[in-house]
Amino acid sequence: MRATLPMRLTRFAAALAVLFATPIAAAYAQTAVPQTREQVTYSYAPLVKQIAPAVVNVYAAREVPQRRSPFAGDPFFERFFGREFSGKPQRRQSQSLGSGVIVSADGLVITNNHVIENADEVKIALADGREYEAEIKLIDKKSDLAVLQFKPEGELPVVKLGDSESLEVGDLVLAIGNPFGVGQTVTSGIVSALARSQNGVNDFGFFIQTDASINPGNSGGALVAMNGNLIGINTAIYSRSGGSNGIGFAVPSNMVQVVLNSVRLGSSTLMRPWIGAQFQAVTAEIAESVGLDRPQGALVAGVFGGSPAEAAGLQLGDVILAIDGKAVPHVDALGYRLATAGLDRTASLTVLSRSTRSELTLKLAAAPEVPVRDTRLLRGRSPFAGLTVINLSPRTAQELEIPDRVRGVVVSKVDQRSPARRLGFRAGDVLLDINGRDVSSTKVMEDIASRRANGWRFAIEREGKVLRQFLR
């Protein structure tokens, strides 16, 4: 029997009564058209006005020699184009543009190392148009951070550093910088992920990921939380086109704080704790074998005798899960946790050893410089003439990012016009042995290189590979 119109209306009224009894329906029932400007306006403008004056443009200039013309000395070309066309190699100036953030009233500016790397001159421009020459106080390639300082006139706008450990995925953030050199620009987004690694930006493995638009020129700029604190330095983007694809990376502010502390202590380099151990990633197979429900932490792959790691009780096969209660999600994050833990103190390690979790105490100290550096320039007629070599200690190994297990003498510089340069030696090469004799020190190296020989049989380690050569 088909329902009549009154019956349909009765059923519809009953359905409405049930619908509006639910919380969702009640919420919809309470919505209304905004009646005032305050109800309509939602703006980041107050936050931008507070932070933007402290974000500066960074200009880096370097002299780049141009190649000598192949027509140098040709009378025909010199007649028509002049001798300056084919004479001595000309030098041109290469410039790069990035951003920076003023973090102290005495003119300290934090930026990226790749913005000012190899620069002969660095200038900064404030948002109000003032320009100053800046001095490079510290560079740290591993974290891609650099600290500049200029002498301000009057008071400076300053951004306060926040605690990047307090961030959560989904938090709102602003990115401020100078993309493509168009001028100061503000973009907004959220924290997309934390503890990101393996994004192609050297070996620093602990980035904040954001979808706020970051483009070339934003490097060194500010990533700001909604409370106005600096929580990251914009560093890189994931892109196949060169433009923003919504995946940007920033160095956490807690790492920035470590770099600034080093500058305030008068150091031009960032000293990291040395623990004397090797680590590798925990794969799914390794995680299952040690009793972990998922891959996490850093697997101990080697412990060196007399090291803090040995003193703490770390053993081959242990997995470090946390430092001072802060998780180590992957092996790349271990360096960040150690660097931000600081020096001259002890840290608590959460370790999984033989399927048992335990807490170990690790002493955090700077890498020892034993043997002493002892820099020497090799001369004479040997293939090694023109090499500047230094003794390889845990400290020099850490500075040059050479594995602790390597022993020998490391090349710090190669003279451009030397036999060593022509033979292909590079800075960072480690000389292991020559003519069957271990190269244990620069003194031994100098003694070997000064002797006459019918031939030279030697081994070097380069980028983890041992290369053996024989020269007559």
Side-chain angles (χ1 to χ4, degrees), residues 192-199 204-209 249 330 332:
S192 309
L194 297 170
R196 281 295 196 224
S197 66
Q198 301 174 349
N199 55 49
F204 182 77
F206 206 93
F207 289 88
I208 301 167
Q209 182 180 317
F249 301 99
H330 46 73
D332 293 330

Side-chain angles (χ1 to χ4, degrees), residues 33-43 45:
V33 175
Q35 302 297 316
T36 66
R37 179 180 178 84
E38 288 73 18
Q39 292 176 346
V40 176
T41 303
Y42 177 72
S43 175

Side-chain angles (χ1 to χ4, degrees), residues 277-301:
Q278 288 180 294
F279 300 92
Q280 70 181 56
V282 177
T283 62
E285 292 78 9
I286 292 174
E288 183 178 0
S289 67
V290 299
L292 290 171
D293 58 354
R294 66 184 186 281
Q296 58 179 305
L299 179 71
V300 179

Side-chain angles (χ1 to χ4, degrees), residues 58-317:
V58 177
Y59 301 93
R62 58 186 64 85
E63 293 288 335
V64 180
Q66 290 181 307
R67 294 183 61 185
R68 182 182 175 89
S69 170
F71 305 110
D74 189 307
F76 175 81
F77 280 91
E78 288 185 358
R79 178 181 178 185
F80 286 95
F81 298 101
R83 290 189 176 182
E84 63 275 7
F85 172 80
S86 58
K88 294 182 178 180
Q90 301 295 312
R91 300 185 70 86
R92 64 182 178 86
Q93 194 175 64
S94 174
Q95 294 185 333
S96 62
L97 172 66
S99 305
V101 186
I102 303 174
V103 290
S104 71
D106 59 351
L108 287 180
V109 174
I110 193 80
T111 186
N112 284 139
N113 171 66
H114 73 260
V115 172
I116 55 91
E117 191 171 21
N118 300 322
D120 299 310
E121 182 183 19
V122 179
K123 292 185 178 181
I124 64 168
L126 274 63
D128 60 11
R130 289 180 291 169
E131 292 189 4
Y132 298 92
E133 291 188 0
E135 177 187 1
I136 300 174
K137 303 295 289 185
L138 181 149
I139 57 174
D140 185 60
K141 293 183 179 180
K142 195 167 186 178
S143 64
D144 197 19
L145 291 176
V147 180
L148 313 175
Q149 188 167 32
F150 68 100
K151 296 180 179 179
E153 298 172 356
E155 293 186 2
L156 285 176
V158 174
V159 179
K160 181 181 177 182
L161 263 66
D163 180 10
S164 52
E165 289 294 328
S166 65
L167 281 179
E168 295 183 287
V169 175
D171 284 350
L172 292 171
V173 289
L174 297 182
I176 307 177
N178 183 12
F180 300 110
V182 300
Q184 194 175 82
T185 302
V186 181
T187 56
S188 66
I190 63 169
V191 174
S192 309
L194 297 170
R196 281 295 196 224
S197 66
Q198 301 174 349
N199 55 49
V201 189
N202 55 57
D203 65 347
F204 182 77
F206 206 93
F207 289 88
I208 301 167
Q209 182 180 317
T210 177
D211 68 345
S213 294
I214 297 174
N215 289 289
N218 271 108
S219 292
L223 189 69
V224 184
M226 291 298 101
N227 59 4
N229 290 341
L230 181 74
I231 47 88
I233 294 296
N234 300 321
T235 297
I237 57 175
Y238 182 85
S239 174
R240 296 179 179 176
S241 63
S244 175
N245 286 341
I247 301 178
F249 301 99
V251 179
S253 58
N254 286 13
M255 189 67 209
V256 174
Q257 185 66 68
V258 173
V259 173
L260 290 174
N261 289 343
S262 295
V263 171
R264 288 169 178 141
L265 291 174
S267 176
S268 60
T269 58
L270 178 61
M271 299 298 294
R272 291 175 167 84
W274 177 75
I275 63 174
Q278 288 180 294
F279 300 92
Q280 70 181 56
V282 177
T283 62
E285 292 78 9
I286 292 174
E288 183 178 0
S289 67
V290 299
L292 290 171
D293 58 354
R294 66 184 186 281
Q296 58 179 305
L299 179 71
V300 179
V303 178
F304 303 106
S307 66
E310 184 184 55
L314 280 175
Q315 300 177 40
L316 189 69

